[in-house]
Amino acid sequence: MTVRASPEGSPVAASLTFIGTCDLVAITRGRAIRSDELADHLRRGVGWVPADLAQTTFGSLAVPNPFGSLGDIRLLPVESAECRLPGVDGRPSTQLVLADIVHPDGRPWECCPRHALAEAVRDLDDRFGLRVVAAFEQEFTLRGLTPDAPFSIEAHRVAEPFGSELVETLHASGFEPETWLPEYGAGQYEITIGPADAMTAADRAILTRAIARDLAASHGMRAVFAPLVRPDAVGNGVHVHLSVWDRAGRPVTLDPETSEPSTPAQRFVAGILAHAGALVAWTAPSVVSSIRLAPGRWSSAAAFFGHMNREALVRLCPVTTLGDARTLEMANLEYRACDATANPWLVLAALIRAGIDGLQRELPAPALVEGDLDAIGPADRDRLGIVDLPRDLEAAQAALEEDAAARSWFAAQLLATHLSIRRTESRELTAMTPEERCRRYADVI
Ligand code: GLU
Ligand code: MG
């Protein structure tokens, strides 16, 4: 007999709350409690184990890792960082609440990725009186539907009711979804969420992935966020939009006099470019991530600051004055070398750390490159300071290890675990073809 679902999805109703952290391979892991006991757990959290942070994408533990079988920590739920995964026939809804990781006495755990972002946000404010507002655009492939023409109404309709449910769930969660679009790749879609302070934006990026995956599963599909479903496929990017604001809440990405990037914004971008290699090790960290970062893929083909250029590492986005005159508020920069194998808290933390370094060293304004990268010869590339991105995981990790400033961005154990996880994955996939490696990530991420 089929039990008819209640509006909550199941006669069992919505009784469980899953308290989770997003880990170094961008998987949200945790444990559930009864929802009516959440108030209590907001004070004392639930138990967690340090070595949980050393898990690879494929279910193994990184070798080596600094934690082993020792230690006890806690997941302390953050009431504001939550959403409800909708109930469907036979499946109750589940509340998902993100957590800070703390010691049993409540002190932040040094390796907590969310804490790393909180610290970066605080440093930027303390030292420069600046704040970052961010927005994530996330692309993913819906596996299990018959793909239709890129950007077409048919591709929109073939994904229904998933698309409507996704936008509605995000809206009901207060995430301010902006656009839901059929993208260029076969079965590829993109969801964009409105700008918010850095922590809120990262929380929402993590929760948005969980909602999309959950709804897809409810419809017998899989939402694949992995950077590539096949080496020759159109990449699934995560584009991070950033704007800089002062303490008084004024937008300072552009200079109000000239409408050009302001001095702080230029220094921030210069910091990102100066640490591009190390950043890529955090923002595109998997074994297959670098395949996406190649010319002609509209992802990011080199480290440069580009104007309206989809191959730039950082793109100065055009501001529409059509229907809205808030030019200064809407001005933003887009970091493009990111994918969903990266943890959104650490992505923003690393970008802010790089930005802080640019501000601290008062780095000169980077050239704003106009036009197509292909048309720029080697001499001009040098003059404009355009440099290659790391060609593979090994090169990205070497860039991170050789960058003394970047090595200090996060706790030593966090850095060591991050490097070891990806090296372990690389060893595990070593005998595979690029196709098999992409599939391996796409089956999980
Ligand atoms: N799919 C591209 C990527 O891998 C992005 C295309 C776009 O500009 O939206 O980043
Ligand atoms: Mg896109």
Side-chain angles (χ1 to χ4, degrees), residues 137-139 151 181 183-184 188-192 235 237 239 298 310 334 336:
E137 289 178 6
Q138 308 203 72
E139 295 174 333
F151 315 118
L181 63 133
E183 253 285 3
Y184 184 61
Q188 190 185 40
Y189 293 83
E190 174 177 315
I191 184 74
T192 66
H239 302 160
W298 293 32
R310 287 180 181 76
E334 180 187 35
R336 296 178 63 85

Side-chain angles (χ1 to χ4, degrees), residues 140-188:
F140 57 95
T141 306
L142 277 178
R143 196 190 265 172
L145 55 70
T146 310
D148 222 309
F151 315 118
S152 70
I153 177 64
E154 288 77 15
H156 171 89
R157 291 294 292 171
V158 82
E160 289 292 50
F162 170 88
S164 293
E165 290 173 2
L166 176 62
V167 172
E168 198 40 54
T169 306
L170 294 169
H171 175 68
S173 307
F175 292 4
E176 299 171 18
E178 284 194 335
T179 331
W180 162 242
L181 63 133
E183 253 285 3
Y184 184 61
Q188 190 185 40

Side-chain angles (χ1 to χ4, degrees), residues 332-354:
N332 67 88
L333 309 159
E334 180 187 35
Y335 178 86
R336 296 178 63 85
C338 179
D339 68 54
T341 61
N343 176 309
W345 292 317
L346 291 174
V347 166
L348 278 183
L351 288 168
I352 291 173
R353 287 287 171 206

